[in-house]
PDB file of all heavy atoms in Angstrom:
ATOM      1  N   ARG A 552     -27.103-150.256-240.541  1.00 96.00           N
ATOM      2  CA  ARG A 552     -26.840-148.831-240.360  1.00 96.00           C
ATOM      3  C   ARG A 552     -25.681-148.553-239.399  1.00 96.00           C
ATOM      4  O   ARG A 552     -25.537-149.157-238.347  1.00 96.00           O
ATOM      5  CB  ARG A 552     -28.089-148.073-239.889  1.00 96.00           C
ATOM      6  CG  ARG A 552     -29.284-148.127-240.843  1.00 96.00           C
ATOM      7  CD  ARG A 552     -28.976-147.546-242.225  1.00 96.00           C
ATOM      8  NE  ARG A 552     -28.397-146.230-242.171  1.00 96.00           N
ATOM      9  CZ  ARG A 552     -29.097-145.088-242.193  1.00 96.00           C
ATOM     10  NH1 ARG A 552     -30.424-145.135-242.227  1.00 96.00           N
ATOM     11  NH2 ARG A 552     -28.485-143.927-242.184  1.00 96.00           N
ATOM     12  N   LEU A 553     -24.857-147.587-239.835  1.00 98.00           N
ATOM     13  CA  LEU A 553     -23.745-147.075-239.043  1.00 98.00           C
ATOM     14  C   LEU A 553     -23.547-145.596-239.404  1.00 98.00           C
ATOM     15  O   LEU A 553     -22.500-145.202-239.925  1.00 98.00           O
ATOM     16  CB  LEU A 553     -22.468-147.879-239.311  1.00 98.00           C
ATOM     17  CG  LEU A 553     -21.348-147.773-238.278  1.00 98.00           C
ATOM     18  CD1 LEU A 553     -21.781-148.386-236.953  1.00 98.00           C
ATOM     19  CD2 LEU A 553     -20.086-148.452-238.779  1.00 98.00           C
ATOM     20  N   PRO A 554     -24.558-144.754-239.143  1.00 98.00           N
ATOM     21  CA  PRO A 554     -24.480-143.359-239.593  1.00 98.00           C
ATOM     22  C   PRO A 554     -23.620-142.457-238.728  1.00 98.00           C
ATOM     23  O   PRO A 554     -23.228-141.374-239.166  1.00 98.00           O
ATOM     24  CB  PRO A 554     -25.943-142.910-239.543  1.00 98.00           C
ATOM     25  CG  PRO A 554     -26.553-143.766-238.494  1.00 98.00           C
ATOM     26  CD  PRO A 554     -25.853-145.085-238.563  1.00 98.00           C
ATOM     27  N   GLY A 555     -23.326-142.868-237.485  1.00 98.00           N
ATOM     28  CA  GLY A 555     -22.552-142.032-236.584  1.00 98.00           C
ATOM     29  C   GLY A 555     -21.113-142.500-236.469  1.00 98.00           C
ATOM     30  O   GLY A 555     -20.865-143.671-236.176  1.00 98.00           O
ATOM     31  N   MET A 556     -20.158-141.605-236.713  1.00 98.00           N
ATOM     32  CA  MET A 556     -18.742-141.933-236.551  1.00 98.00           C
ATOM     33  C   MET A 556     -17.999-140.660-236.168  1.00 98.00           C
ATOM     34  O   MET A 556     -18.169-139.614-236.795  1.00 98.00           O
ATOM     35  CB  MET A 556     -18.156-142.525-237.834  1.00 98.00           C
ATOM     36  CG  MET A 556     -16.716-142.996-237.687  1.00 98.00           C
ATOM     37  SD  MET A 556     -16.061-143.803-239.191  1.00 98.00           S
ATOM     38  CE  MET A 556     -17.042-145.302-239.228  1.00 98.00           C
ATOM     39  N   PHE A 557     -17.166-140.747-235.119  1.00 98.00           N
ATOM     40  CA  PHE A 557     -16.463-139.562-234.633  1.00 98.00           C
ATOM     41  C   PHE A 557     -15.122-139.974-234.054  1.00 98.00           C
ATOM     42  O   PHE A 557     -15.031-140.937-233.283  1.00 98.00           O
ATOM     43  CB  PHE A 557     -17.300-138.857-233.555  1.00 98.00           C
ATOM     44  CG  PHE A 557     -16.759-137.511-233.153  1.00 98.00           C
ATOM     45  CD1 PHE A 557     -17.125-136.370-233.848  1.00 98.00           C
ATOM     46  CD2 PHE A 557     -15.886-137.383-232.083  1.00 98.00           C
ATOM     47  CE1 PHE A 557     -16.627-135.123-233.485  1.00 98.00           C
ATOM     48  CE2 PHE A 557     -15.385-136.148-231.705  1.00 98.00           C
ATOM     49  CZ  PHE A 557     -15.767-135.007-232.404  1.00 98.00           C
ATOM     50  N   LEU A 558     -14.086-139.230-234.413  1.00 98.00           N
ATOM     51  CA  LEU A 558     -12.735-139.480-233.900  1.00 98.00           C
ATOM     52  C   LEU A 558     -12.512-138.666-232.638  1.00 98.00           C
ATOM     53  O   LEU A 558     -12.537-137.420-232.670  1.00 98.00           O
ATOM     54  CB  LEU A 558     -11.696-139.104-234.959  1.00 98.00           C
ATOM     55  CG  LEU A 558     -10.225-139.232-234.541  1.00 98.00           C
ATOM     56  CD1 LEU A 558      -9.862-140.665-234.198  1.00 98.00           C
ATOM     57  CD2 LEU A 558      -9.316-138.685-235.640  1.00 98.00           C
ATOM     58  N   ALA A 559     -12.295-139.336-231.511  1.00 98.00           N
ATOM     59  CA  ALA A 559     -12.057-138.662-230.243  1.00 98.00           C
ATOM     60  C   ALA A 559     -10.604-138.196-230.152  1.00 98.00           C
ATOM     61  O   ALA A 559      -9.722-138.669-230.879  1.00 98.00           O
ATOM     62  CB  ALA A 559     -12.376-139.599-229.078  1.00 98.00           C
ATOM     63  N   ASP A 560     -10.343-137.283-229.237  1.00 96.00           N
ATOM     64  CA  ASP A 560      -8.992-136.732-229.080  1.00 96.00           C
ATOM     65  C   ASP A 560      -7.986-137.796-228.670  1.00 96.00           C
ATOM     66  O   ASP A 560      -6.794-137.667-228.953  1.00 96.00           O
ATOM     67  CB  ASP A 560      -9.011-135.612-228.038  1.00 96.00           C
ATOM     68  CG  ASP A 560      -9.751-134.369-228.527  1.00 96.00           C
ATOM     69  OD1 ASP A 560      -9.891-134.204-229.758  1.00 96.00           O
ATOM     70  OD2 ASP A 560     -10.188-133.578-227.670  1.00 96.00           O
ATOM     71  N   ASP A 561      -8.459-138.863-228.002  1.00 96.00           N
ATOM     72  CA  ASP A 561      -7.541-139.917-227.577  1.00 96.00           C
ATOM     73  C   ASP A 561      -7.304-140.965-228.668  1.00 96.00           C
ATOM     74  O   ASP A 561      -6.631-141.968-228.427  1.00 96.00           O
ATOM     75  CB  ASP A 561      -8.054-140.596-226.309  1.00 96.00           C
ATOM     76  CG  ASP A 561      -9.436-141.220-226.472  1.00 96.00           C
ATOM     77  OD1 ASP A 561      -9.947-141.266-227.616  1.00 96.00           O
ATOM     78  OD2 ASP A 561     -10.014-141.652-225.460  1.00 96.00           O
ATOM     79  N   GLY A 562      -7.859-140.753-229.846  1.00 97.00           N
ATOM     80  CA  GLY A 562      -7.630-141.656-230.962  1.00 97.00           C
ATOM     81  C   GLY A 562      -8.657-142.755-231.116  1.00 97.00           C
ATOM     82  O   GLY A 562      -8.658-143.471-232.120  1.00 97.00           O
ATOM     83  N   LEU A 563      -9.544-142.922-230.144  1.00 98.00           N
ATOM     84  CA  LEU A 563     -10.613-143.905-230.274  1.00 98.00           C
ATOM     85  C   LEU A 563     -11.667-143.401-231.261  1.00 98.00           C
ATOM     86  O   LEU A 563     -11.945-142.203-231.324  1.00 98.00           O
ATOM     87  CB  LEU A 563     -11.257-144.174-228.919  1.00 98.00           C
ATOM     88  CG  LEU A 563     -10.350-144.812-227.858  1.00 98.00           C
ATOM     89  CD1 LEU A 563     -11.056-144.828-226.513  1.00 98.00           C
ATOM     90  CD2 LEU A 563      -9.944-146.219-228.268  1.00 98.00           C
ATOM     91  N   ILE A 564     -12.248-144.314-232.009  1.00 98.00           N
ATOM     92  CA  ILE A 564     -13.287-143.970-232.969  1.00 98.00           C
ATOM     93  C   ILE A 564     -14.627-144.462-232.431  1.00 98.00           C
ATOM     94  O   ILE A 564     -14.817-145.667-232.224  1.00 98.00           O
ATOM     95  CB  ILE A 564     -13.005-144.590-234.351  1.00 98.00           C
ATOM     96  CG1 ILE A 564     -11.691-144.053-234.915  1.00 98.00           C
ATOM     97  CG2 ILE A 564     -14.154-144.302-235.318  1.00 98.00           C
ATOM     98  CD1 ILE A 564     -11.264-144.701-236.218  1.00 98.00           C
ATOM     99  N   TYR A 565     -15.523-143.530-232.187  1.00 98.00           N
ATOM    100  CA  TYR A 565     -16.846-143.858-231.674  1.00 98.00           C
ATOM    101  C   TYR A 565     -17.812-144.022-232.836  1.00 98.00           C
ATOM    102  O   TYR A 565     -17.780-143.241-233.802  1.00 98.00           O
ATOM    103  CB  TYR A 565     -17.330-142.780-230.718  1.00 98.00           C
ATOM    104  CG  TYR A 565     -16.633-142.825-229.379  1.00 98.00           C
ATOM    105  CD1 TYR A 565     -15.323-142.354-229.234  1.00 98.00           C
ATOM    106  CD2 TYR A 565     -17.259-143.371-228.262  1.00 98.00           C
ATOM    107  CE1 TYR A 565     -14.664-142.422-228.016  1.00 98.00           C
ATOM    108  CE2 TYR A 565     -16.615-143.428-227.034  1.00 98.00           C
ATOM    109  CZ  TYR A 565     -15.323-142.963-226.921  1.00 98.00           C
ATOM    110  OH  TYR A 565     -14.668-143.047-225.709  1.00 98.00           O
ATOM    111  N   VAL A 566     -18.684-145.022-232.728  1.00 98.00           N
ATOM    112  CA  VAL A 566     -19.654-145.300-233.783  1.00 98.00           C
ATOM    113  C   VAL A 566     -21.022-145.533-233.160  1.00 98.00           C
ATOM    114  O   VAL A 566     -21.135-146.025-232.033  1.00 98.00           O
ATOM    115  CB  VAL A 566     -19.241-146.519-234.642  1.00 98.00           C
ATOM    116  CG1 VAL A 566     -17.998-146.220-235.446  1.00 98.00           C
ATOM    117  CG2 VAL A 566     -19.036-147.759-233.779  1.00 98.00           C
TER     118      VAL A 566
END
Side-chain angles (χ1 to χ4, degrees):
R552 299 300 308 269
L553 198 66
M556 185 176 292
F557 189 88
L558 177 62
D560 290 339
D561 59 8
L563 296 172
I564 298 175
Y565 286 76
V566 293

